């Protein structure tokens, strides 16, 4: 693990009997000693990467809004900046901010799936004349609690399956690999679940379709994030992401098979059919 070509981002390396962690260039992923030099008076000079000869981390001078937009655009540089350069180094496990993001992701996803399954109960929250004193029924909250548990299990198994797939690929090649940073990448890639907050602002006729669009966005974000962590080709990242999503879909299919909840597309079709049936005129009891 002495050559820079074999360095895996997020990996701890031994130095003088202790452990240290280098920052990386957001353009090429190679390690750098620092991303900027600070002078007296508060002025800074950005570091130039000696491998690709670009600015090592241009996001040092950017606002969080710009970084968020680059995450939406699936730019690998934004993922490298947030995970390896901006966050405090974590030797093992996860940080408090990671658990906070997971909590928000689970709550928003559970709300989206609950609304897709029970649109009549939850869509009333968007009606202005029903804001005051309105609350979903106890059955609706129970349904929401089931989805919170399902989404929690999905997230846990998604991370475990991704780590297991990565171990099969890297355990024999590299003696020390920071798998907790893979989990960080997976969690960060799910930031697209925040778009479920739009359901609280606008009323969608088919929230299940919106849910599928967010799933597609999160899948593509996960591919970019995992590829940043691996530092290798697309097929390796795709293998890890598919392993995680297979575990996630297995949980959802098991829940649907158990009959606890209806599949959102099925529920959407039933609601549409019910609305169409009520819109049709009643048949005459006698011929014309």
């Amino acid at each position: 693990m002495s050559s820079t070509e074999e360095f895996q981002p997020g990996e701890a390396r031994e130095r003088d009997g202790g452990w240290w962690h280098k920052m990386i260039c957001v353009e090429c992923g190679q390690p750098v000693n620092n991303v900027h030099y600070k002078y007296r008076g508060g002025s800074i000079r950005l570091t130039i990467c000696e491998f690709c000869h670009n600015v090592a981390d241009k996001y040092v001078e950017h606002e969080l809004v710009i970084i968020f937009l680059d995450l939406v655009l699936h730019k690998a540089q934004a993922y490298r900046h947030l995970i390896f350069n901006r966050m405090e180094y974590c030797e093992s496990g996860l940080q408090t901010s990671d658990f906070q993001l997971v909590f928000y992701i689970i709550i928003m996803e559970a709300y989206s799936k609950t609304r897709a399954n029970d649109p009549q109960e939850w869509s009333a929250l968007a009606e202005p004349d029903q804001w005051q004193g309105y609350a979903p029924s106890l059955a609706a909250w129970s349904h929401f609690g089931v989805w919170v548990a399902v989404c929690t299990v999905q997230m846990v198994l998604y991370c475990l399956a991704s780590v297991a797939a990565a171990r099969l690929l890297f355990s024999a090649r590299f003696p020390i690999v920071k798998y907790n940073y893979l989990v960080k990448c997976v969690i960060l890639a799910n930031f697209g679940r925040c778009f479920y907050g739009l359901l609280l602002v606008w009323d969608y006729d088919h929230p299940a379709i919106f849910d599928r669009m967010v799933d597609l966005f999160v899948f593509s974000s996960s591919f970019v994030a995992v590829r940043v962590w691996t530092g290798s080709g697309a097929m390796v990242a795709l293998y890890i992401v598919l392993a995680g999503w297979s575990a996630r879909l297995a949980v959802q299919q098991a829940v649907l098979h158990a009959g606890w909840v209806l599949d959102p597309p099925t529920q959407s079709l039933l609601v549409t059919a019910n609305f169409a049936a009520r819109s049709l005129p009643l048949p005459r009891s006698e011929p014309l």
Side-chain angles (χ1 to χ4, degrees):
M1 296 299 298
S2 58
S3 63
T4 56
E5 288 77 9
E6 296 180 348
F7 177 77
Q8 292 294 322
E11 176 185 350
R13 304 175 71 187
E14 192 171 5
R15 177 184 180 186
D16 299 331
W19 295 100
W20 65 292
H21 171 73
K22 278 190 173 183
M23 295 182 175
I24 67 172
C25 172
V26 299
E27 301 295 337
C28 64
Q30 294 294 339
V32 294
N33 291 325
N34 49 56
V35 294
H36 66 83
Y37 297 95
K38 189 172 183 178
Y39 298 98
R40 293 180 180 177
S43 59
I44 63 173
R45 179 172 65 86
L46 299 181
T47 303
I48 302 299
C49 177
E50 62 180 5
F51 296 96
C52 64
H53 306 292
N54 293 316
V55 175
D57 194 344
K58 60 184 179 182
Y59 293 105
V60 172
E61 297 182 324
H62 290 182
E63 298 291 338
L64 286 177
V65 176
I66 303 300
I67 301 175
F68 176 78
L69 292 177
D70 281 354
L71 287 177
V72 174
L73 295 175
H74 289 12
K75 290 189 177 181
Q77 296 91 331
Y79 284 96
R80 294 191 182 105
H81 167 77
L82 287 176
I83 297 173
F84 303 116
N85 294 347
R86 193 180 189 92
M87 295 181 180
E88 185 179 353
Y89 174 66
C90 185
E91 175 63 28
S92 61
L94 301 175
Q95 297 169 314
T96 303
S97 58
D98 298 319
F99 289 105
Q100 291 173 343
L101 181 57
V102 168
F103 175 78
Y104 177 76
I105 289 171
I106 291 174
I107 293 298
M108 295 307 299
E109 184 179 7
Y111 170 75
S112 172
K113 293 184 180 298
T114 305
R115 180 167 177 173
N117 281 268
D118 195 3
Q120 305 255 343
E121 183 75 27
W122 291 85
S123 62
L125 291 174
E127 300 296 335
D129 57 343
Q130 299 187 30
W131 284 354
Q132 185 174 3
Y134 177 81
S137 63
L138 181 60
W141 282 112
S142 300
H143 198 183
F144 175 73
V146 170
W147 272 117
V148 168
V150 171
C151 293
T152 302
V153 174
Q154 282 184 314
M155 177 62 72
V156 172
L157 292 184
Y158 183 16
C159 295
L160 292 178
S162 299
V163 171
R167 283 184 178 276
L168 292 177
L169 295 174
F170 298 116
S171 60
R173 295 173 53 191
F174 304 104
I176 302 175
V177 179
K178 306 298 291 182
Y179 293 104
N180 61 323
Y181 273 81
L182 172 59
V183 178
K184 284 176 173 286
C185 290
V186 170
I187 294 174
L188 179 60
N190 279 267
F191 80 95
R193 306 288 180 190
C194 68
F195 294 134
Y196 286 137
L198 297 176
L199 295 173
L200 300 171
V201 182
W202 291 293
D203 191 15
Y204 291 87
D205 294 332
H206 301 287
I209 298 178
F210 181 79
D211 183 63
R212 291 298 183 267
M213 293 173 61
V214 172
D215 280 340
L216 181 62
F217 178 84
V218 172
F219 181 87
S220 58
S221 298
S222 300
F223 173 76
V224 176
V226 173
R227 190 174 184 181
V228 164
W229 179 82
T230 60
S232 55
M235 295 305 299
V236 175
L238 184 61
Y239 166 74
I240 296 176
V241 173
L242 288 178
W245 275 80
S246 298
R248 173 185 171 86
L249 293 177
V251 174
Q252 183 168 340
Q253 291 302 317
V255 172
L256 297 176
H257 181 72
W260 293 349
V261 291
L262 287 176
D263 188 20
T266 304
Q267 178 69 25
S268 180
L269 291 176
L270 292 177
V271 172
T272 303
N274 186 26
F275 175 78
R278 289 183 298 174
S279 301
L280 292 176
L282 294 176
R284 294 179 179 270
S285 58
E286 56 185 10
L288 294 174

